[in-house]
Amino acid sequence: MLLRHTPNEITERSALMINPAKTCQPIGAMYAALGIHGCLPHSHGSQGCCAYHRSTLTRHYKEPVMAGTSSFTEGASVFGGQANLVQAIINIFSVYEPEVIAVHTTCLSETEIKRLCRELGVASIMFPDTSNVLNTPQTGKYSMYPAGGVTVADLMDTGNSMGTVALGPLASGPAARALDTKCKVPCEILDLPSGLQA
């Protein structure tokens, strides 16, 4: 039945993608960590995020994917989850005996940055800033552009900043260096840990 709708000619397709994985960045971090021998990816965030990423990779590759999680609760997200991370690292090394753990964060563990700046009394412009974009209240009305996110005016104002703190040398470092070069805004590029070794 279906063959009669299939053309006899072979057609070249230049933009064909097979099973593209369309999801958030932590799944890429988990995938990258799997490429290190003896490495156990660790998702520093909620248990649901880790389970979703593991199941997505498992379904895609038809292979079991293992990963640890800090199993955040509401309290852990408010207080940073350090106790959860330390306990998880102890458990992982004692039970699974990996050579290295690759820790990556999820959205839930990244909420602590703006609040910390407010508590310290430091005026800050953070980007990307997905607060009030991907966690908007359920109003029953669709908004193409939610109220949250850093504004274009704020982005332009970063050239007047006293300094820039880049969270990681790869994703944030080049932008911080460009701001330093073009606008003379001194930058500090933090070297985030990519793994913890026993």
Side-chain angles (χ1 to χ4, degrees):
M1 181 69 153
L2 293 176
L3 289 177
R4 71 179 186 187
H5 297 291
T6 304
N8 293 329
E9 304 82 22
I10 297 175
T11 305
E12 293 292 330
R13 297 182 182 178
S14 58
L16 180 64
M17 291 182 71
I18 299 173
N19 297 333
K22 296 180 180 177
T23 183
C24 56
Q25 292 179 358
I27 196 171
M30 185 181 286
Y31 175 73
L34 293 171
I36 302 170
H37 180 74
C39 179
L40 184 72
H42 180 79
S43 181
H44 186 52
S46 69
Q47 191 169 352
C49 288
C50 183
Y52 173 72
H53 298 145
R54 284 181 55 213
S55 65
T56 299
L57 289 172
T58 297
R59 284 196 309 267
H60 182 78
Y61 289 104
K62 309 294 189 281
E63 296 282 347
V65 172
M66 300 308 297
T69 178
S70 296
S71 296
F72 269 29
T73 59
E74 292 85 350
S77 63
V78 170
F79 297 110
Q82 180 177 347
N84 291 51
L85 179 59
V86 170
Q87 187 62 54
I89 290 169
I90 293 169
N91 292 346
I92 288 170
F93 277 121
S94 63
V95 175
Y96 301 109
E97 300 177 344
E99 291 185 35
V100 66
I101 299 173
V103 179
H104 61 270
T105 58
T106 68
C107 301
L108 192 56
S109 58
E110 296 171 359
T111 54
E112 287 313 282
I113 298 171
K114 283 176 70 175
R115 186 186 70 83
L116 288 174
C117 287
R118 274 197 308 269
E119 292 294 320
L120 292 170
V122 175
S124 65
I125 300 170
M126 187 175 92
F127 63 91
D129 181 4
T130 56
S131 57
N132 294 322
V133 176
L134 299 175
N135 59 345
T136 56
Q138 295 293 329
T139 62
K141 295 181 181 177
Y142 172 74
S143 175
M144 180 75 173
Y145 301 105
V150 64
T151 65
V152 174
D154 281 343
L155 285 175
M156 293 172 69
D157 196 35
T158 58
N160 299 317
S161 298
M162 293 177 63
T164 301
V165 176
L167 301 179
L170 299 178
S172 304
R177 281 192 214 85
L179 199 58
D180 188 4
T181 302
K182 293 183 179 180
C183 302
K184 305 300 182 219
V185 177
C187 66
E188 182 70 30
I189 300 172
L190 303 182
D191 195 15
L192 296 181
S194 59
L196 300 170
Q197 194 165 1

